[in-house]
Amino acid sequence: MSSWAQTLSRLDAFSKVDRTHQARTSSGGFLSVMVLLAMAFMVTSELRDFLQYQQTHEFAVDADVQQELQVNFAMAVAMPCALMRVDVLDASGNRQNLDDGITMQAVSRRRAFAKLSGSHSAGLNGVADMHVHDIFAEAGRLRRVPGVREKGLAKPSSLASIGDLDDAACHIEGSVMVNKVAGLFHITAHGHAYGGAYVPSRMMNFTHHIDELSFGPLYPSLDNPLDNTLHVSDDHVSAFRYFISIVPTTYIDASARHLSTNQYAVNEYYKPHSDLSDLDGKPPGIFLEYSFESVAVTVREHRGSVVAFAVRLCAAISGLFVTVGIAHSLFACVTNAVSGRRPHVSRGILDSKHATTVHISAAVVES
């Protein structure tokens, strides 16, 4: 062996035990099988965690100077279209009447509300329960423009096919641009709060189903908190108020694609006829009061590092080997102590029996 090879062998921190000095036991074989199974489980678990996407949330002050924001809505109200008006009033004093800029089409009340039950039906594609790559996939599906039929309700029918006003309802749908300031989107009856022919209370019914309400670009496959919700009025004269807080949100997937939209949280407030005095003078109707948060959220999606995955895997496997080895040694010591057996110890040249032989040999040499 060359000198450099001998030098390297002296530095070997992984010294080997000769096979002739190794003892194999049934308990050791059982532990080896258990270790292999545990290793397979740990490798599978670590690999599954590595292949899954991870999400991080970043919060910052909203620096977007955009002056306007798109509002998308689609709902059915249990009143004839001719008796209602739709308006937007914002904090700057600007008021828009939307009757001419949206689609208001007569539908059959029985057909529109027959299959809807309960006060809320959760959406299948709620943004809060989805990963970023799923949000991108859903956002690219069924991208539509204002005026296309809504997701959940029956196809609008003409007023002639409805038959009578008691069965009349109105499907309202559209996308409008509003100032990016706090505002009030509301649906009221003519002659209440605004001018026009007065609608008697017996003809009002603000039971409604919100099929879609979103802010920003229209992604119909993504469900928001108020999407697919049914709200039933107990009497003819009642008011529904929704307090909506809008948070600008940007999604960034693992491929560095950006998707800008707006999330919102909502609180609902319902008042029947007997409590309308508490509504700050607002008439019966549907009122969606929206405001903008000053904080913007960025949701980033990424995969774990390959180096970190390798380090975790090596640490887990080596730790398993060391832990099982120590446990096996302790188990052997306890077993020998309980059974009274002494562990086998190989004797060397300095043991008493061999030492006597050495002394005798030395005396013969001197003589």
Side-chain angles (χ1 to χ4, degrees):
M1 183 182 294
S2 60
S3 59
W4 66 269
Q6 293 179 352
T7 302
L8 287 178
S9 64
R10 295 191 191 99
L11 298 176
D12 185 8
F14 306 96
S15 56
K16 313 300 185 296
V17 179
D18 192 86
R19 288 184 177 273
T20 58
H21 296 86
Q22 296 178 355
R24 300 181 182 275
T25 62
S26 58
S27 61
F30 174 77
L31 282 179
S32 298
V33 174
M34 293 296 101
V35 167
L36 289 176
L37 293 177
M39 286 175 54
F41 171 76
M42 296 175 68
V43 170
T44 303
S45 177
E46 290 290 341
L47 183 61
R48 184 179 64 251
D49 292 341
F50 171 71
L51 294 178
Q52 287 181 346
Y53 289 99
Q54 301 177 9
Q55 294 185 173
T56 58
H57 294 72
E58 302 174 5
F59 301 88
V61 176
D62 183 18
D64 188 7
V65 295
Q66 183 180 1
Q67 300 297 319
E68 292 185 323
L69 181 71
Q70 181 174 309
V71 180
N72 314 293
F73 55 91
M75 67 176 69
V77 184
M79 286 176 59
C81 297
L83 305 182
M84 295 185 299
R85 59 179 294 155
V86 183
D87 298 90
V88 174
L89 177 65
D90 61 38
S92 65
N94 183 44
R95 183 178 68 85
Q96 303 180 54
N97 179 258
L98 306 180
D99 292 352
D100 297 330
I102 60 177
T103 301
M104 299 179 66
Q105 189 165 1
V107 296
S108 169
R109 187 182 304 180
R110 287 193 300 268
R111 292 177 57 190
F113 293 95
K115 296 182 179 181
L116 303 174
S117 61
S119 60
H120 184 271
S121 175
L124 296 177
N125 301 321
V127 174
D129 301 326
M130 300 175 65
H131 294 285
V132 173
H133 61 277
D134 295 326
I135 294 175
F136 273 86
E138 291 294 334
R141 294 179 56 244
L142 303 177
R143 187 70 183 271
R144 68 178 184 179
V145 296
V148 177
R149 185 167 59 90
E150 71 282 9
K151 294 180 281 189
L153 298 179
K155 183 177 180 180
S157 55
S158 64
L159 185 60
S161 64
I162 294 175
D164 59 84
L165 292 179
D166 292 334
D167 188 40
C170 185
H171 173 250
I172 307 171
E173 182 176 9
S175 294
V176 296
M177 300 300 295
V178 299
N179 294 328
K180 196 177 177 181
V181 295
L184 175 64
F185 178 95
H186 52 288
I187 300 174
T188 56
H190 285 293
H192 297 261
Y194 296 102
Y198 182 81
V199 176
S201 60
R202 60 180 177 81
M203 300 182 67
M204 292 191 296
N205 184 354
F206 287 103
T207 295
H208 59 284
H209 176 270
I210 300 177
D211 186 66
E212 181 169 2
L213 180 67
S214 61
F215 299 86
L218 179 59
Y219 302 110
S221 294
L222 297 179
D223 280 344
N224 296 280
L226 284 176
D227 289 2
N228 299 319
T229 56
L230 175 65
H231 309 265
V232 180
S233 174
D234 295 331
D235 51 40
H236 292 285
V237 184
S238 58
F240 296 86
R241 292 181 73 176
Y242 303 92
F243 300 93
I244 301 172
S245 297
I246 303 172
V247 180
T249 305
T250 301
Y251 296 98
I252 305 176
D253 68 358
S255 302
R257 294 182 300 171
H258 288 65
L259 177 67
S260 297
T261 182
N262 295 274
Q263 298 185 85
Y264 65 84
V266 60
N267 291 319
E268 303 178 20
Y269 187 63
Y270 169 71
K271 281 295 182 179
H273 172 69
S274 58
D275 296 329
L276 285 181
S277 58
D278 298 334
L279 283 175
D280 302 328
K282 288 186 174 61
I286 304 169
F287 302 90
L288 296 100
E289 302 185 25
Y290 57 88
S291 60
F292 296 88
E293 298 293 335
S294 58
V295 176
V297 179
T298 300
V299 183
R300 297 181 183 272
E301 182 181 66
H302 59 88
R303 291 189 184 275
S305 169
V306 177
V307 176
F309 165 71
V311 170
R312 289 199 308 270
L313 195 60
C314 292
I317 294 176
S318 59
L320 180 64
F321 267 109
V322 172
T323 303
V324 172
I326 294 175
H328 184 250
S329 300
L330 291 175
F331 176 77
C333 291
V334 172
T335 303
N336 292 332
V338 172
S339 62
R341 293 182 302 173
R342 296 182 60 187
H344 173 73
V345 180
S346 61
R347 297 183 178 274
I349 194 172
L350 297 180
D351 294 323
S352 59
K353 182 171 128 177
H354 297 282
T356 303
T357 305
V358 173
H359 286 306
I360 294 174
S361 300
V364 173
V365 172
E366 290 177 358
S367 63

